[in-house]
C-alpha cells in the first residue's frame, strides 16, 4: 500500500530546485540528480528502491516562445533530444491539476540540449514547435523508462531576457516560488496513476445530423472567401466551433449581425419560421443545416396546429431546438418540462391535444412526461415514432451499458449540449459516478484515484478526437486496455442540401 510518504519520486537537477519542490510536498521522495543529470546513479538507486512509483522531473527551464513569462510552468507533452523523443502523455491531466492551484501553465514540447541556449538558436528550436528548453529532462526520462512520468519546469529566462539579463534573479525567484507550489498537484497525479480498463461506449460522438451540419460549414468555407456566417453554434461543441472559427466561420447570435446579402447557415438545432422570414426580408442567402430529424418534428408541429390541436412540446425551456419548434405555432404550443407541470395545464379542448418531443431528451424522463399527459388527456395524439432520435437513443443505451461495468464514466461534450448532459445523467442513474468534460483538460485527477475501470462516451456533437485525447492521457497514467462496448450499429446518413452538394 502506497502511503503519502512514498507515493512518488521527484527528480530535480539542482539543489535549489530540489529544496523548492520539497517544500511543497507532503511526502514522496525528492532525488537530486545534479546538473546535466551527472548524479544519475542516485536516481537509478531510487528507481530500484521504489520500482513501481511514478516519477516527476521538476526544475527550471528557459522559454523559447514569447507568451511564456518567468514563473510560468511548462508541462512537457514531449521531450526532444538528439537521441529521440519521449512522450509524456499525461501532460494535460497534470497541467489541469496545476491550473486548479492557480498557477499559469503551458503544455507543449520541450527540448533538451547539452549547453545553454542563446538566441538565435532558441528561435530556431521554437520553429519546430518547442516551447521551452532544459538540459536534463530527456536523460532523466531515459533512466525512468516506461513507468508513468511527468516533466514540470518553471520558466526563468525568456527569448527577450536571456540568462545574462539582470532580470534573471527575479525570474529565478519566481520560478522557484512556482516549484514550491506544485506539490499538491504531483501528489494527485501520483494517486491517479495505475493500469486501467477503458470501456468505449458505442455508438458515441457525431450523429448523422451533426456530420451533415459540420460538413455544410466546411464545404462553404472551402468554397467562399471567409467569413461564412452561422446563426448560433452550428452544434453545441466548443472544439467544433473553435476549429471552424479558425477556418473563417463567424458565429452570430442573431441575424442582424449578418451583413446584407451575405450567406448564413442555420444551425443543426433548427429555427422558427420568424427567423426564416427575417432572413428573407434581409436578402440573406440561407443554407439550412437543420437536422432532418429536427425538421420532421417541425413538420409534426405544423400538422397538429393546423388540425386545431393544442400541442404539448416536451423539452427544456430556452434550448434552441425548443425555441425553433415552439415558433412553428407559438399560439397553439405549450412547453412541458416535467411530469408535475401536467396537472396545471389548461387547454381549449381536451379532445384536441397532441404532443411532441425535443430530439435529445433522456428517453425515460420524456416518457414519464408523456405518460402524465396521457393520463390527464386520454385523447392525446403523439408522433408515429418517438421524436427522440435514433442517435440520442443509441448513445443513451450504450452509456448505460458501460456505466453498469464501470467505476467512473466520462462523457466528452460541452456544457450547453443537451444530449451530452443527458448521457451523464443516464450513467449516474445506474449508480456510477459520471462527469461531463469539454476536453481532456477538464478531467480532475482526483476522480481517477483508485479507479480501475472507466466508461467513456461522447455526445452527438463531440468529435472523436476528444475521446482519443482522453484515452491517450489516461495511457500516460499507466497501461490502458481500451475495449469497444457496442450496443448498436448506425448506418444513418443524411444528404447535403443542394447549395453544397457538389464540390
Ligand atoms: O440539442 P443538443 O444541445 O444536444 O445539441 P448538440 O449538442 O449540438 O448535439 C446535436 C443535436 C442537435 C443538433 C439537435 O438534435
Ligand atoms: Fe439529428 Fe438526432 Fe443528431 Fe439531433 S441528435 S442532430 S436529431 S441525428
Amino acid at each position: 500500500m502506497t502511503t503519502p510518504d512514498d507515493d512518488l519520486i521527484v527528480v530535480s537537477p539542482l539543489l535549489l530546485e530540489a529544496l523548492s519542490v520539497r517544500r511543497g510536498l507532503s511526502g514522496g521522495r525528492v532525488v537530486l540528480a545534479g546538473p546535466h543529470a551527472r548524479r544519475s546513479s542516485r536516481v537509478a538507486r531510487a528507481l530500484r528502491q521504489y520500482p513501481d512509483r511514478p516519477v516527476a522531473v521538476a526544475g527550471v527551464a528557459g522559454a523559447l516562445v514569447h507568451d511564456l513569462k518567468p514563473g510560468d510552468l511548462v508541462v512537457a507533452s514531449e521531450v526532444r533530444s538528439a537521441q529521440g523523443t519521449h512522450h509524456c502523455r499525461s501532460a494535460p491531466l497534470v497541467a489541469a491539476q496545476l491550473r486548479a492551484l492557480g498557477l499559469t501553465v503551458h503544455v507543449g514540447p520541450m527540448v533538451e540540449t547539452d549547453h545553454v541556449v542563446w538566441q538565435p538558436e532558441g528561435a530556431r528550436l521554437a520553429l519546430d514547435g518547442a516551447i521551452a528548453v532544459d538540459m536534463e529532462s530527456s536523460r532523466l526520462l531515459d533512466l525512468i523508462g516506461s513507468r508513468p512520468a511527468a516533466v514540470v519546469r518553471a520558466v526563468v529566462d525568456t527569448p527577450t531576457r536571456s540568462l545574462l539579463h539582470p532580470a534573471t534573479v527575479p525570474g529565478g525567484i519566481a520560478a522557484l516560488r512556482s516549484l514550491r507550489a506544485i506539490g499538491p498537484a504531483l501528489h494527485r497525479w501520483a494517486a491517479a496513476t495505475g493500469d486501467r480498463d477503458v470501456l468505449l461506449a458505442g455508438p458515441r460522438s457525431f450523429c448523422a445530423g451533426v456530420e451533415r451540419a459540420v460538413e455544410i460549414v466546411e464545404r462553404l468555407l472551402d468554397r467562399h472567401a471567409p467569413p461564412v456566417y452561422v446563426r448560433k453554434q452550428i452544434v453545441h461543441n466548443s472544439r467544433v466551433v473553435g476549429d471552424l472559427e479558425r477556418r473563417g466561420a463567424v458565429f452570430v447570435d442573431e441575424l442582424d449581425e449578418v451583413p446584407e446579402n451575405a450567406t448564413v447557415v442555420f444551425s443543426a438545432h433548427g429555427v422558427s419560421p420568424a427567423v426564416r422570414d427575417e432572413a428573407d426580408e434581409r436578402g440573406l442567402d440561407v443554407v439550412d443545416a437543420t437536422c432532418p430529424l429536427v425538421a420532421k418534428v417541425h413538420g409534426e408541429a405544423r400538422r397538429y396546429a393546423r388540425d386545431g390541436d393544442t400541442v404539448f412540446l416536451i423539452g427544456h425551456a430556452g434550448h434552441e431546438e425548443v425555441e425553433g419548434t415552439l415558433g412553428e405555432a407559438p399560439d397553439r404550443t405549450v412547453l412541458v418540462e416535467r411530469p408535475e407541470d401536467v396537472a396545471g395545464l389548461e387547454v381549449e379542448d381536451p379532445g384536441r391535444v397532441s404532443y411532441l418531443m425535443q430530439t435529445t431528451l433522456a428517453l425515460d424522463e420524456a416518457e414519464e412526461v408523456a405518460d402524465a399527459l396521457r393520463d390527464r388527456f386520454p385523447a392525446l395524439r403523439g408522433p408515429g415514432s418517438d421524436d427522440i432520435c435514433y442517435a440520442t437513443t443509441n448513445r443513451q443505451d450504450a452509456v448505460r451499458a458501460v456505466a453498469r461495468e464501470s467505476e467512473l464514466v466520462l462523457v466528452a461534450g460541452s456544457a450547453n449540449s443537451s444530449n451530452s448532459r443527458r448521457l451523464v445523467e443516464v450513467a449516474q442513474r445506474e449508480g456510477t459516478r459520471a462527469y461531463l468534460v469539454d476536453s481532456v483538460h477538464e478531467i480532475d485527477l482526483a476522480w481517477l484515484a483508485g479507479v480501475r475501470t472507466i466508461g467513456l462516451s461522447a455526445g452527438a456533437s463531440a468529435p472523436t478526437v476528444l475521446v482519443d485525447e482522453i484515452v491517450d492521457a489516461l495511457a500516460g497514467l499507466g497501461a490502458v486496455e481500451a475495449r469497444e462496448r457496442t450496443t448498436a450499429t448506425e448506418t444513418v446518413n443524411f444528404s447535403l442540401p443542394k447549395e453544397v452538394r457538389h464540390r
Side-chain angles (χ1 to χ4, degrees):
M1 175 85 188
T2 308
T3 68
D5 287 342
D6 64 0
D7 60 347
L8 84 160
I9 301 169
V10 182
V11 182
S12 291
L14 305 177
L15 183 62
L16 275 177
E17 295 167 336
L19 290 173
S20 301
V21 177
R22 169 83 268 166
R23 278 189 53 187
L25 290 169
S26 51
R29 178 87 203 273
V30 180
V31 183
L32 185 60
H36 301 277
R38 277 193 208 111
R39 296 177 186 171
S40 57
S41 56
R42 285 187 181 183
V43 182
R45 208 175 320 126
L47 293 172
R48 273 197 307 278
Q49 193 181 353
Y50 298 101
D52 52 1
R53 298 294 181 270
V55 188
V57 175
V60 298
L64 295 173
V65 290
H66 290 278
D67 50 342
L68 271 60
K69 304 279 175 285
D72 286 4
L73 293 171
V74 175
V75 179
S77 56
E78 60 183 54
V79 180
R80 303 166 182 168
S81 74
Q83 280 66 48
T85 300
H86 287 281
H87 294 278
C88 305
R89 300 165 88 180
S90 65
L93 301 171
V94 177
Q97 226 55 53
L98 291 164
R99 287 192 189 106
L101 296 172
L103 298 162
T104 303
V105 186
H106 308 263
V107 180
M110 287 193 60
V111 63
E112 181 199 274
T113 61
D114 58 5
H115 55 274
V116 174
V117 169
W118 310 100
Q119 296 302 346
E121 186 188 3
R124 274 201 304 277
L125 293 171
L127 281 181
D128 289 333
I131 63 170
V133 58
D134 70 30
M135 297 202 290
E136 302 89 5
S137 289
S138 177
R139 247 169 277 207
L140 293 171
L141 289 170
D142 285 343
L143 285 174
I144 292 163
S146 61
R147 69 175 93 189
V151 174
V152 182
R153 293 282 186 164
V155 171
V156 175
D157 55 302
T158 65
T160 49
R161 284 162 44 161
S162 76
L163 281 176
L164 294 180
H165 196 283
T168 293
V169 174
I173 293 170
L176 294 177
R177 195 182 303 124
S178 295
L179 288 178
R180 278 206 296 273
I182 67 176
L186 295 185
H187 284 304
R188 281 226 161 144
W189 169 73
T193 55
D195 297 346
R196 290 202 164 82
D197 295 317
V198 172
L199 305 180
L200 296 160
R204 61 181 176 278
S205 199
F206 280 11
C207 59
V210 169
E211 291 274 9
R212 176 179 181 271
V214 173
E215 190 164 358
I216 288 171
V217 181
E218 285 176 343
R219 285 192 176 211
L220 287 169
L221 285 167
D222 287 343
R223 209 166 279 193
H224 291 272
V228 166
Y229 291 91
V230 184
R231 182 184 176 277
K232 309 284 184 188
Q233 293 190 336
I234 185 72
V235 296
H236 292 150
N237 186 269
S238 60
R239 175 70 72 94
V240 171
V241 168
D243 286 349
L244 292 172
E245 267 173 346
R246 270 185 291 283
R247 292 185 54 188
V250 173
F251 295 90
V252 297
D253 263 337
E254 293 308 335
L255 290 183
D256 57 16
E257 298 166 59
V258 181
E260 300 282 326
N261 303 319
T263 299
V264 64
V265 182
F266 288 159
S267 81
H269 316 93
V271 297
S272 68
V275 173
R276 287 183 196 283
D277 293 347
E278 189 189 344
D280 259 4
E281 279 159 26
R282 305 224 23 247
L284 301 177
D285 210 356
V286 170
V287 184
D288 190 358
T290 303
C291 174
L293 298 182
V294 174
K296 180 184 125 217
V297 182
H298 281 240
E300 290 162 353
R302 286 194 295 273
R303 181 160 61 86
Y304 289 143
R306 226 176 11 243
D307 291 352
D309 284 10
T310 298
V311 183
F312 302 121
L313 174 60
I314 304 172
H316 296 296
H319 189 280
E320 271 146 42
E321 180 184 328
V322 164
E323 291 190 341
T325 312
L326 274 173
E328 289 292 346
D331 302 338
R332 308 214 62 85
T333 312
V334 181
L335 180 66
V336 187
E337 293 192 83
R338 291 166 292 267
E340 49 274 30
D341 296 343
V342 172
L345 294 173
E346 284 176 21
V347 296
E348 224 172 78
D349 178 357
R352 296 223 63 97
V353 284
S354 48
Y355 77 93
L356 298 170
M357 286 176 185
Q358 184 181 342
T359 57
T360 51
L361 300 179
L363 264 101
D364 40 3
E365 287 181 338
E367 260 326 303
E368 276 178 37
V369 183
D371 284 346
L373 286 169
R374 273 185 218 105
D375 285 349
R376 169 115 196 260
F377 303 103
L380 187 75
R381 295 197 291 163
S385 64
D386 240 351
D387 290 326
I388 294 177
C389 78
Y390 80 96
T392 303
T393 310
N394 289 345
R395 279 154 192 67
Q396 287 176 16
D397 288 347
V399 83
R400 188 177 297 112
V402 298
R404 286 179 185 149
E405 290 185 73
S406 306
E407 296 148 81
L408 170 74
V409 167
L410 299 176
V411 176
S414 292
N416 63 340
S417 166
S418 163
N419 80 89
S420 305
R421 293 172 63 146
R422 301 295 85 79
L423 294 179
V424 173
E425 292 164 5
V426 166
Q428 288 169 339
R429 281 202 282 277
E430 293 305 310
T432 308
R433 263 188 314 138
Y435 299 98
L436 182 69
V437 288
D438 202 19
S439 77
V440 64
H441 295 273
E442 287 194 352
I443 295 176
D444 184 341
L445 285 170
W447 303 340
L448 309 181
V451 169
R452 168 84 206 191
T453 308
I454 298 179
L456 195 48
S457 182
S461 50
T464 52
V465 63
L466 296 173
V467 172
D468 297 342
E469 287 170 358
I470 293 171
V471 174
D472 200 47
L474 293 174
L477 299 173
V480 162
E481 191 174 337
R483 289 196 295 268
E484 291 282 347
R485 285 280 191 272
T486 306
T487 51
T489 309
E490 294 179 342
T491 53
V492 180
N493 187 13
F494 297 128
S495 61
L496 290 165
K498 61 179 184 323
E499 296 88 342
V500 294
R501 202 166 295 154
H502 304 291
R503 279 202 190 264

